[in-house]
Each structure stands twice: as structure tokens, then as C-alpha cells.
Amino acid sequence: MSIRVSNLTYRLPNQDTLLSDIAFSIPDGCKCAIVGNNGTGKSTLLNILSGQCLCSSGDIECAGAYLVPQHYGQYDGMTVAETLHIEDKYRAFKAILSGDASERNFEILQDDWELEARVAAAFRTWGIPYISLDTQFSQLSGGEKTKVFLSGIAIYNPDVILMDEPTNHLDVEGREQLLGFISESNVTILVASHDRTLLNGIDSILHLTRQGIKYYPMKYDEFYQLYQQECDAISRHLDAKQRDLGKAKRQARECAERQQKRLSRGAKLSESKCLARISKGGLKNKSENTASNIDKVQAERIETINREIDELKSLVPEEACIKINVASSNLHKGKVLVELNSVNFNYAGSDPLWRECINLTIRSGDKIRITGKNGHGKTTLLKLISGELNPTSGTIFRADSISCIYLDQEYKFINDEKTVLEQLASETVNMPEHELKIRLHRFLFPAHTWDKKCSALSGGEKMRLAICSLMVRDSAPDIIILDEPTNNIDIANMEILAQTLRDYQGTLIAISHDLAFISDIRVQSTLELSALSAF
């Protein structure tokens, strides 16, 4: 087995348990995807397997693992060579070529004379030959950073490859290349991802939840269908148990009422027959003991059912409880909202972004996808459409009084300085506070989160708060603009977002490399920036 995990437990610094008694194994050469909601510990598990994090207890076999990480902030200030942990070898190699034949340099290099050629070949493979090992990592785009780590696979030639959300910053071409690499590789691969196209190219699924981890020998779509069936069965069982609880409570109440009537009749009977006082006391005690025993049995039954209900509730995904009803724009379909005429843009000191100027008309009800390779100006075009930037050539017409919401992958639409409740309250003047709190609870924000700063929310939480904000608005936005909104959220939250946008009847403009998500929100047309294709 390339990967074997048994009895793995991981506790957070505050001693809360994140992973408990996890056990699974992956044979040599197998490809497996790990899925689960944000916060269940997927990244932590990969970090433990790679040796970058220590578990609290358990046994792990995962020798020779290489990790492609999800986040890159810890590498700011490093060069590409330092990021790949080949800085010492690279410097020793360069020093020897420059004439420094010290024994120390040879010890560091360890006869790895092919290092520079291996790096150059790997960078060419992933389409980044222009990047040097001396380049500052912080100067690279998100896609370039991912490709540097993907290049590291060929540099190290590991026995096990671990990948944490590897498609987040890749364009469509990069995603296709990654999927081909995974399919053709002969080494063991474990991928944490919410990219359904990638997941369906992998033959087995590990589903990580708060209850543990479960193995499914199938592609993602098959797993999801089976998982939904399991959830439906649990929901039916939960409904039945809740009916049992109601019945048990009614029976307990009726039993208590009958017992009270018997006690009352017994008291009257004993008075009428003039029973001795000691006999009355004995009968009373016997009756009360019988009632107490009956009450105890009923209480134990209710307690057992309540415990079973709590166990079943813990198995039902929270997202299944969310109900979405977003209002639609009041604009008539086909109204011209934004019109770009011969538009181009260039940042200071650089050439215009596009070879040909852009002519584009956006009407009410349109659902448009903007696509193109990394660096082709997709985000810049969105900022021009929204009015955040002005063109350096050409003109842009925007209809009066149109409202626009911009949802990017960081959900900057949410004000980090506000609390959760303050953010929601800022979206409406008509809804009372108690109703806002009801809406927050429906979107999985319990009372203890209402005073939490939005800056402390995860990507999925910000997404849910953004949708909740749309639902309480006094009027729906005329345009919703999306810039890779699914990058930092899990599949469950992605499906909530997709349902919201699918039902929304206003104008939608989206950048997303996730083809399944684009299909889910029912995009009608595509603008390819590399070719500037017309509609």
C-alpha cells in the first residue's frame, strides 16, 4: 500500500478534535479523490500525509509524498527555488559552474547535475518556460504558482502525489492538462478537490465528514447519487422518528391524564367505604408507585427517541436545510444595460490588453460567460463593465439606475469590518431585526455567529451570507457579476450558489473555469477573450 492510515486523530491547538479515528488505505498506483465540506479537515489530512503537520495520534504510512498546496501566502518573500526547496542545490550548482569547486558545494549538489535541465523541462511541460528559479514567487499569478508546484512533481519524481484543490487558479487549458496528467500517471495520487470534472476523471472517492471517512469505489457523479440516496434514507428515518416522538409524547400525556383520573376515583372510593387510614395510605402509595413506574418508562422511551433523533440529525447535511428564494430584477427582458464600443484598456507602462477592441452589448436577462487563458484580461473586463475601471480607449454606456453586485472568489462584496448581523442589516431598510435573525439561522448562522466579524468567515460562509444578503434586499440587483466565485467553497456550497443563480431572472456575467458550474447556472453565450469572438 502506498498510503495506509489507521486510528488517526488530530486535535486543534484549542484541543477541539478535527479528525477522529480516521482509517483508510490506497494501493500503489491508484488515484483517489477526497471530498467533503469546508472545515472537515481535508487540507489538514493532506498536510499530515505529507509530513508538514503532525497528528495527535495514529499510524501513518505515506513515504515519498509530494504536496501541491492550496494556499501560497506562506511562500511570499521566497524565490521559486526556495519555494520548491531546491535553493541550496541550485546555488551549489551555479557556484560550481562559476568555478567554486569547494567540497561543500559538491556535498550539497549530491551529483544532481541534471537539476537545472530537469527544472527547465518541467517548466516547459506546464507552460511556464519564462519563469526562472530566481523569480520572486509573489510576482507570479495564481495559475503560475500552481504550475510551479505541478512542475515540482517531475523535479522530485515522488512515489505519492498529494494535491489540494489544484484546479483553483488554472484556466481551462491548464485543467485539461492536469486531468490528462492524472489519467496517464502510474504513481499513487490523492486529490482534494471540488472540481467535478476532475473528480469524474478519478476512479474512487474518500468522503470525509465529521463522523469519519468512507470509501466509495466509483467516480464522483456515481458517488453523489448514492450519497443522496443515503441522505434521503436518513431523512425518511428521521421523519419517522420525529413522528414516533410525537406519538410517545401524546401517549405519555394521555397516560398521565388516565392515571390522574384513577387516583382521583380511588380517593373518592376510599372515602365512601370509610377505609382505615393505614389502608388508605397503602393504597395511595401503591398507586403513586405504579404511576411513577409508568412515568419512568415513558420518560426513558422519549429520551431514547430524542437520542436517536440527535444521531440522525448529525448525519443529515446542514445545506439540505437551506431554502433559497431570490427575487428577480424588475427590468423588462432585453433592455440594454451596458454597451461597450471599441473598448480597450492598458495599465500604466504596458500595451493594450486586447489585440482587437471589444464591442459588446449586455441586455437584461442575458447570461454570459467570459473565458480565456490566464492573463488575457477577464477580470479587467468585468471591472470595466461594473464601472470600477474606465476604458483607456473607446466608450461604455451604462443605463441609469441599474444595480450591480460583484461576487469574486474572496466575496469582497462582504464588508470585513462589519459583523454578520450588521452586514445583513445593511442590505435592507424594511426588514425588522428579528426577521433578519430568522434568515441568518436558515442560512446556517446560529445566534453565536451574529456578532462575528465577517473577516473571520470562511469562503463558504461568506458565500452563504452573500446569498442571504441578496434574499433580504428590498429589490433584487439588475446584474450579478461573478469572478471565479467557486474557488474557495466546497461542492455543497457551490450547489447552493448554482441553485441561486439558476433561479435568478436578472442579468448574469460570469468568469469560471468550472465547466460543471457553468452548465448548472445555464449560461446562454460565451465571449472568448483570446479570439474576441462575437455573440
Side-chain angles (χ1 to χ4, degrees), residues 11-264:
R11 295 184 184 85
L12 298 167
N14 64 2
Q15 295 306 304
D16 287 347
T17 299
L18 179 62
L19 301 169
S20 179
D21 201 25
I22 300 296
F24 66 92
S25 60
I26 301 176
D28 293 342
C30 287
K31 286 98 175 186
C32 188
I34 181 168
V35 300
N37 289 354
N38 289 346
T40 53
K42 300 187 299 297
S43 294
T44 299
L45 180 57
L46 291 182
N47 284 329
I48 291 171
L49 292 175
S50 69
Q52 296 185 17
C53 181
L54 297 177
C55 61
S56 302
S57 62
D59 297 315
I60 300 166
E61 295 177 23
C62 187
Y66 175 84
L67 174 66
V68 178
Q70 177 183 4
H71 301 293
Y72 308 124
Q74 66 270 37
Y75 302 106
D76 287 347
M78 294 185 182
T79 64
V80 170
E82 289 170 329
T83 299
L84 291 171
H85 301 293
I86 58 173
E87 171 72 4
D88 291 342
K89 273 191 176 185
Y90 175 61
R91 294 301 172 206
F93 176 76
K94 300 295 283 187
I96 293 169
L97 291 184
S98 299
D100 183 356
S102 66
E103 185 178 344
R104 178 59 179 159
N105 283 332
F106 283 96
E107 288 175 356
I108 293 172
L109 185 60
Q110 296 178 332
D111 287 334
D112 192 359
W113 300 103
E114 300 299 320
L115 174 66
E116 192 172 42
R118 201 162 65 250
V119 170
F123 282 11
R124 282 195 303 272
T125 297
W126 289 102
I128 50 172
Y130 51 87
I131 293 176
S132 124
L133 288 173
D134 293 315
T135 302
Q136 286 294 312
F137 197 68
S138 58
Q139 295 176 0
L140 305 180
S141 70
E144 288 170 331
K145 290 175 179 177
T146 299
K147 289 177 180 179
V148 165
F149 278 104
L150 290 171
S151 299
I153 296 170
I155 295 170
Y156 282 99
N157 194 25
D159 297 322
V160 176
I161 301 170
L162 309 171
M163 299 184 184
D164 193 358
E165 303 290 1
T167 62
N168 265 4
H169 302 285
L170 296 179
D171 54 26
V172 172
E173 186 177 286
R175 289 178 180 220
E176 290 175 350
Q177 184 180 2
L178 175 62
L179 189 57
F181 168 79
I182 292 173
S183 175
E184 295 168 8
S185 176
N186 294 320
V187 303
T188 306
I189 299 177
L190 178 60
V191 183
S193 179
H194 60 248
D195 184 329
R196 285 166 289 177
T197 303
L198 185 152
L199 293 173
N200 279 314
I202 296 174
D203 293 328
S204 57
I205 300 291
L206 283 169
H207 186 210
L208 182 62
T209 67
R210 292 295 186 186
Q211 287 71 44
I213 200 163
K214 187 175 180 180
Y215 176 75
Y216 294 81
M218 59 193 70
K219 296 184 185 295
Y220 179 78
D221 282 348
E222 296 172 82
F223 149 75
Y224 185 72
Q225 184 177 7
L226 179 59
Y227 177 61
Q228 286 297 107
Q229 291 171 356
E230 292 173 354
C231 289
D232 290 344
I234 292 169
S235 294
R236 289 193 297 272
H237 195 186
L238 179 58
D239 289 342
K241 283 296 176 184
Q242 288 172 331
R243 288 193 296 271
D244 289 345
L245 179 62
K247 182 179 179 181
K249 287 181 175 179
R250 285 195 304 274
Q251 289 176 343
R253 185 172 60 251
E254 291 167 359
C255 184
E257 290 171 354
R258 287 196 300 271
Q259 187 62 28
Q260 186 59 42
K261 288 178 182 178
R262 281 197 293 270
L263 285 171
S264 178

Side-chain angles (χ1 to χ4, degrees), residues 502-520:
R502 186 168 55 245
D503 296 339
Y504 170 67
Q505 296 301 309
T507 302
L508 191 63
I509 305 169
I511 293 174
S512 178
H513 298 303
D514 188 324
L515 300 181
F517 176 74
I518 287 296
S519 174
D520 285 347

